[in-house]
Amino acid sequence: MTENAALEATMRRALELAANGPATGPNPRVGCVLLDESGQVLAEGWHRGAGTPHAEVDALARLTAGAARGATAVVTLEPCNHTGRTGPCSLALIEAGVTRVVYAVADPGIDSSGGADRLRRAGIDVAGGVLAGAGEAFLADWLVAARLGRPFVTLKWASSLDGRAAADDGTSRWITGPEARQDVHRRRAAAGAIIVGTGTVLADDPALTARDAAGKLLPTQPVPVVIGTRGVPADAALRSHPHPPLFFATDDLLAVLHDLHRRGIRHAFIEGGPTLASAFVAAGLVDEYLVYLAPTLLGGGRLALGDIGVAGISDQRRLAIDHYDRLGDDLLVVARPR
């Protein structure tokens, strides 16, 4: 195996380790593998959430003093240069005597970036961009949040093949089958917030929780967020959510997203309805589309999206298909703006 192939294999392992970390919260999921001079694994680590040791420090902590001297650190994200509740990882690697650092993705954070430069000034060999595509895909939500100062926004809807989100009388339970609905709940649990409009709250009275197939609450729950000026009843189901709901009586969607970012939310999941969904699309604030298509026809005027600012074909909003999955009888299409 060539050295590049070996490093890529180690980076894949680091990404596997990173996936052990919590999907929600303000911090990125990061994995680290420490190699000795012959390329053998010395230690592995990953970040377990805000306030806990970062991946590099977690890996170093598994070694005795001096055991990392001369080692190579393979890490999914550029080591940070920031002192918060924990110290900078770049300094920890320098003090441990690591002589080489390889990472997948550069840290775009205003406060946390600069670790690679600090390592180089200390005489450490640094190389970035190893499996950068895989790293970018894995960290997509956190990277958008770090670069734009707002959460990564996923817009989800379920519809018939003719694009209807409900029957003509407004009923929509259930267009898709159980496999698709369970996939939605899994994705809800991986988001920091779930956003709906007051129209959806008043029409459907959703609980906005993430549940398993038996209806039991999953261990992690998104914060319920309601946007709109209409009042929400005191006995609305979402008021019994494990997290206190947030209410925003505004049409300034970017201001809402900035507020959520300040609260540590890095991924927001929009569940509707069509008016709110269309507003986010028109504002250019959607980073990912999840479209669950059921093999049925409903007709009528209950469209999944309304006006998104497309007056003519030249205004169309082209998307790139990321991937698609078969879920029971339904099809999930995952797309992103070009």
Side-chain angles (χ1 to χ4, degrees):
M1 182 182 294
T2 66
E3 182 183 23
N4 285 343
L7 284 176
E8 289 183 356
T10 304
M11 187 64 76
R12 289 189 188 92
R13 174 57 183 163
L15 287 165
E16 291 176 357
L17 294 168
N20 291 320
T24 59
N27 291 49
R29 294 185 293 168
V30 181
C32 175
V33 179
L34 297 175
L35 304 174
D36 66 16
E37 295 180 57
S38 67
Q40 298 301 304
V41 174
L42 285 171
E44 300 178 332
W46 66 88
H47 184 48
R48 290 166 172 76
T52 66
H54 290 189
E56 300 92 322
V57 175
D58 184 53
L60 290 170
R62 300 172 190 278
L63 299 175
T64 58
R69 201 159 296 281
T72 292
V74 178
V75 61
T76 54
L77 183 67
E78 174 189 1
C80 72
N81 195 34
H82 171 66
T83 300
R85 280 187 276 183
T86 59
C89 295
S90 52
L91 180 60
L93 292 170
I94 292 168
E95 292 178 341
V98 168
T99 56
R100 188 183 186 195
V101 174
V102 177
Y103 64 87
V105 181
D107 188 336
I110 295 173
D111 298 322
S112 55
S113 61
D117 288 339
R118 184 174 191 169
L119 292 165
R120 291 188 182 100
R121 288 195 298 271
I124 293 174
D125 179 24
V126 180
V130 175
L131 288 189
E136 286 268 353
F138 179 80
L139 288 167
D141 53 352
W142 184 84
L143 289 170
V144 165
R147 290 164 179 161
L148 301 181
R150 64 159 177 82
F152 181 93
V153 174
T154 294
L155 172 58
K156 164 262 173 183
W157 71 77
S159 73
S160 58
L161 287 182
D162 56 345
R164 271 61 180 180
D168 219 26
D169 64 356
T171 56
S172 60
R173 297 182 181 179
W174 298 103
I175 293 176
T176 54
E179 295 89 348
R181 297 199 298 274
Q182 199 52 50
D183 187 71
V184 170
H185 282 279
R186 179 182 63 81
R187 293 175 185 273
R188 282 183 182 182
I194 181 169
I195 303 176
V196 296
T198 51
T200 293
V201 174
L202 296 174
D204 299 335
D205 193 26
L208 302 184
T209 52
R211 303 179 298 278
D212 64 18
K216 182 180 178 182
L217 292 178
L218 293 174
T220 58
Q221 294 289 325
V223 175
V225 176
V226 181
I227 301 177
T229 56
R230 286 182 282 179
V232 174
D235 61 350
L238 64 84
R239 293 190 184 275
S240 298
H241 195 282
H243 296 296
L246 301 175
F247 297 95
F248 295 91
T250 179
D251 58 3
D252 189 339
L253 302 180
L254 187 56
V256 172
L257 293 178
H258 284 157
D259 185 287
L260 296 179
H261 188 271
R262 286 192 293 271
R263 296 172 187 266
I265 292 170
R266 298 295 181 263
H267 187 181
F269 196 83
I270 302 173
E271 287 255 2
T275 301
L276 183 69
S278 301
F280 269 95
V281 176
L285 293 174
V286 178
D287 303 298
E288 178 183 61
Y289 293 83
L290 302 179
V291 183
Y292 295 84
L293 292 172
T296 189
L297 303 173
L298 293 174
R302 302 277 185 167
L303 297 173
L305 283 182
D307 181 11
I308 58 171
V310 175
I313 197 66
S314 61
D315 300 324
Q316 65 182 300
R317 294 175 179 265
R318 298 289 297 179
L319 306 177
I321 303 298
D322 186 78
H323 66 276
Y324 51 86
D325 294 315
R326 184 76 179 264
L327 300 170
D329 292 332
D330 306 313
L331 181 67
L332 167 62
V333 178
V334 181
R336 298 194 176 183
R338 288 193 172 182

